[in-house]
Amino acid sequence: GSKYATKSEPQEEAMCALHHAMDEGNDGIVILPCGSGKSALIAEVMARAGTKCLVLCYEKQGVVQMATLLREHLNLVPNQVCMLTGESKDEPNSLVCFVVMTYGLYAASVGATKKGRASAIGEFLKAQHWDCVACDEVHHACAPTYRPFLEMLQRKARHMLGFTATLYRNDSVAEETRQEHERRLFGWIGPVLYRATAAELERAGLIAKIRRAEVRV
């Protein structure tokens, strides 16, 4: 009965690419514009991957939305979804655990920040061998605070998959093409498995047409 059971054509193509990568044991990145259903893809990938999954978001609002989606649209019981934020922390389930938290909180919990001390939840997180790690807004993954622990996570996870609307970081090199930029900064995660632009989905009528204007005052 989930509204996410019916997918758009780009979602179907992206999911097919994700399934193929997982079957081959490969990691990679999906690029889809905002409003095209990346969160639903993450939820389905989690359900397919196994019983120990980690979703990393950039901001708290993303954590709340992703945890809500997992609870309402997968056949999980409430204590199998562990939402961790600065204000509230669920108790992790040792058998079936879908953890959703921010990159920053993960780094702080496992002692990857300047304070360098792992919390009790951090020790649980460090001990896990994840079936899948999903990195939402993966263009933030190259930040100096995040990349070291993500590389360690990647070595301990069966799959690491990234999702973003724009695979770009403000660290450009003169005369570098977009493809070269992506390989240099994000190639350690894996190749781009699927890509669809906002313009393509606008033409197909699958997302709203959004325009910007600047008014100088």
Side-chain angles (χ1 to χ4, degrees):
S2 170
K3 65 182 181 180
Y4 297 116
T6 302
K7 298 183 183 64
S8 66
E9 186 175 334
Q11 283 179 308
E12 290 280 8
E13 293 171 350
M15 187 55 69
C16 182
L18 287 163
H19 284 184
H20 180 73
M22 294 171 76
D23 289 343
E24 296 293 320
N26 297 326
D27 300 336
I29 296 170
V30 166
I31 303 173
L32 278 170
C34 296
S36 57
K38 290 189 295 296
S39 296
L41 296 181
I42 293 173
E44 186 165 334
V45 163
M46 296 294 100
R48 188 179 192 274
T51 58
K52 294 285 186 74
C53 297
L54 172 65
V55 184
L56 294 171
C57 304
Y58 184 60
E59 295 177 318
K60 176 188 170 183
Q61 185 60 34
V63 172
V64 174
Q65 290 175 346
M66 194 69 235
T68 302
L69 193 156
L70 291 174
R71 286 175 173 144
E72 294 182 354
H73 296 277
L74 296 183
N75 58 341
L76 298 169
V77 298
N79 74 340
Q80 292 172 340
V81 177
C82 179
M83 183 177 74
L84 302 176
T85 69
E87 291 75 28
S88 62
K89 295 178 175 62
D90 295 332
E91 187 71 25
N93 186 317
S94 60
L95 296 176
V96 179
C97 198
F98 288 63
V99 177
V100 190
M101 62 194 307
T102 64
Y103 293 96
L105 184 57
Y106 185 96
S109 298
V110 301
T113 59
K114 290 182 179 179
K115 294 181 180 179
R117 296 178 60 187
S119 64
I121 287 179
E123 295 296 346
F124 170 83
L125 296 170
K126 288 168 66 176
Q128 302 310 304
H129 289 268
W130 301 102
D131 292 311
C132 187
V133 176
C135 301
D136 195 18
E137 306 290 353
V138 74
H139 53 278
H140 294 290
C142 288
T145 313
Y146 302 155
R147 180 167 174 173
F149 78 73
L150 285 171
E151 288 181 322
M152 287 190 290
L153 268 175
Q154 189 174 31
R155 290 192 289 270
K156 294 179 67 175
R158 287 175 56 209
H159 307 289
M160 178 176 277
L161 301 166
F163 300 82
T164 185
T166 306
L167 193 62
Y168 178 80
R169 187 161 178 83
N170 192 18
D171 183 21
S172 58
V173 173
E175 300 181 3
E176 183 180 50
T177 66
R178 175 55 68 91
Q179 288 72 26
E180 290 168 342
H181 178 86
E182 292 174 355
R183 284 196 300 270
R184 179 172 63 84
L185 291 179
F186 303 99
W188 58 276
I189 299 173
V192 174
L193 303 172
Y194 180 80
R195 183 195 307 265
T197 67
E200 291 169 345
L201 299 196
E202 279 183 5
R203 286 194 295 269
L206 296 172
I207 60 172
K209 292 184 178 181
I210 298 173
R211 297 292 177 263
R212 295 180 296 178
E214 182 177 306
V215 181
R216 295 185 177 276
V217 297

